[in-house]
């Protein structure tokens, strides 16, 4: 294969790399807006792109940013940092690293080194995916926590309703089991299982005996 043919092969996917770079830039800007809703597109370009355009960084230098963030556990004074602050640092580093590799991809394309452009674009996609996954995990955890809080609140409300019902109706039933069955039956006081209703009846009886009801 002669040099001219080799050069043609390297440029064969030039339009595709430009399209892929444009798509990744859009995703980077969306992620920046997700992390910093109050910041503008100009801020993203100034803070996350311009520094890498002015001074070209090696792949090792870019990856070291992420490595340092993952190992960041203490302040310079030796005090440990909170988990929330560690998460912020990791997210910021991931966006910076992805942006750095994106710029390297642009620079390689400008020099007609399309193979390097694709490699660096893939690295940028990797770190953007890493960041997306971290946010997704955190969001899922928060949603699960909110769901648990809602279930606990509903449970407390039903328990309070049962306690009030027992004040008025407990003497109508010969035993605690009969009382619990009345609470838990279809169309009963609240939609709970017999075991839960039985535990609440026992708690009501204990609190009443202690004079706290």
């Amino acid at each position: 294969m002669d040099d001219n043919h080799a050069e043609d092969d390297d440029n064969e996917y030039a339009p595709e790399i430009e399209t892929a770079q444009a798509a990744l830039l859009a995703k980077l800007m969306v992620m920046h807006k997700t992390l910093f809703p109050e910041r503008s597109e100009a801020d993203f370009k100034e803070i996350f792109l311009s520094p890498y355009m002015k001074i070209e960084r090696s792949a090792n230098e870019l990856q070291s940013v992420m490595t340092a963030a993952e190992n960041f556990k203490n302040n310079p004074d030796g005090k440990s940092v909170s988990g929330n602050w560690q998460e912020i640092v990791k997210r910021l580093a991931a966006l910076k690293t992805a942006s750095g590799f994106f710029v390297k991809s642009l620079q390689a394309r400008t020099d007609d080194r399309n193979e390097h452009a694709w490699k660096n674009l893939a690295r940028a996609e990797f770190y953007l995916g890493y960041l997306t996954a971290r946010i997704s995990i955190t969001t899922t955890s928060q949603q699960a926590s909110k769901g648990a809080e809602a279930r606990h609140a509903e449970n407390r409300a039903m328990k309070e309703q049962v306690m009030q019902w027992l004040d008025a109706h407990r003497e109508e039933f010969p035993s605690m089991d009969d009382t619990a069955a009345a609470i838990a039956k279809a169309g009963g006081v609240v939609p709970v299982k017999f075991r839960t209703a039985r535990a609440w009846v026992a708690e009501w009886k204990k609190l009443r005996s202690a004079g706290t009801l």
Side-chain angles (χ1 to χ4, degrees):
M1 181 183 295
D2 58 32
D3 292 341
N4 289 335
H5 190 63
E7 184 176 348
D8 289 343
D9 284 347
D10 198 37
N11 289 323
E12 183 178 358
Y13 299 105
E16 287 83 354
I17 187 65
E18 291 179 13
T19 300
Q21 286 172 336
L24 180 60
L25 176 59
K27 289 191 285 187
L28 286 170
M29 289 192 294
V30 168
M31 181 58 70
H32 176 259
K33 200 67 177 176
T34 299
L35 296 178
F36 308 102
E38 74 286 357
R39 299 293 182 86
S40 67
E41 180 180 320
D43 289 330
F44 167 69
K45 292 179 178 179
E46 179 181 353
I47 297 172
F48 289 90
L49 298 184
S50 292
Y52 298 116
M53 291 178 174
K54 295 175 182 177
I55 302 177
E56 186 172 358
R57 310 292 174 86
S58 69
N60 286 339
E61 288 176 317
L62 293 174
Q63 289 167 341
S64 69
V65 173
M66 195 68 244
T67 300
E70 290 175 339
N71 293 327
F72 178 65
K73 294 180 173 61
N74 299 292
N75 286 319
D77 59 6
K79 294 182 179 179
S80 61
V81 297
S82 67
N84 286 341
W85 181 239
Q86 289 181 37
E87 181 63 27
I88 291 171
V89 170
K90 288 176 183 177
R91 292 183 182 187
L92 181 61
L95 183 57
K96 290 182 66 175
T97 305
S99 299
F101 277 116
F102 169 74
V103 171
K104 284 183 71 67
S105 179
L106 292 179
Q107 293 166 337
R109 191 197 79 195
T110 300
D111 296 337
D112 290 329
R113 295 180 292 115
N114 289 321
E115 182 178 351
H116 287 82
W118 280 113
K119 286 181 179 179
N120 286 307
L121 191 68
R123 289 167 174 163
E125 288 276 12
F126 171 81
Y127 285 103
L128 182 60
Y130 169 86
L131 174 55
T132 302
R134 294 201 70 88
I135 292 175
S136 177
I137 290 171
T138 302
T139 300
T140 300
S141 177
Q142 290 173 340
Q143 290 175 340
S145 178
K146 289 180 180 178
E149 290 176 3
R151 289 191 297 273
H152 288 320
E154 182 181 16
N155 192 59
R156 288 193 296 270
M158 289 194 297
K159 183 178 180 180
E160 178 60 28
Q161 184 178 345
V162 167
M163 293 295 180
Q164 293 177 2
W165 181 87
L166 287 168
D167 287 340
H169 301 283
R170 170 64 186 93
E171 300 303 326
E172 298 174 10
F173 302 91
S175 69
M176 293 173 62
D177 285 351
D178 290 333
T179 308
I183 294 170
K185 70 178 182 181
V189 182
V190 291
V192 294
K193 294 182 178 180
F194 173 84
R195 179 182 297 180
T196 300
R198 181 65 170 72
W200 287 351
V201 173
E203 183 177 346
W204 174 88
K205 183 178 180 181
K206 181 178 179 181
L207 291 172
R208 188 180 186 191
S209 298
T212 56
L213 278 179

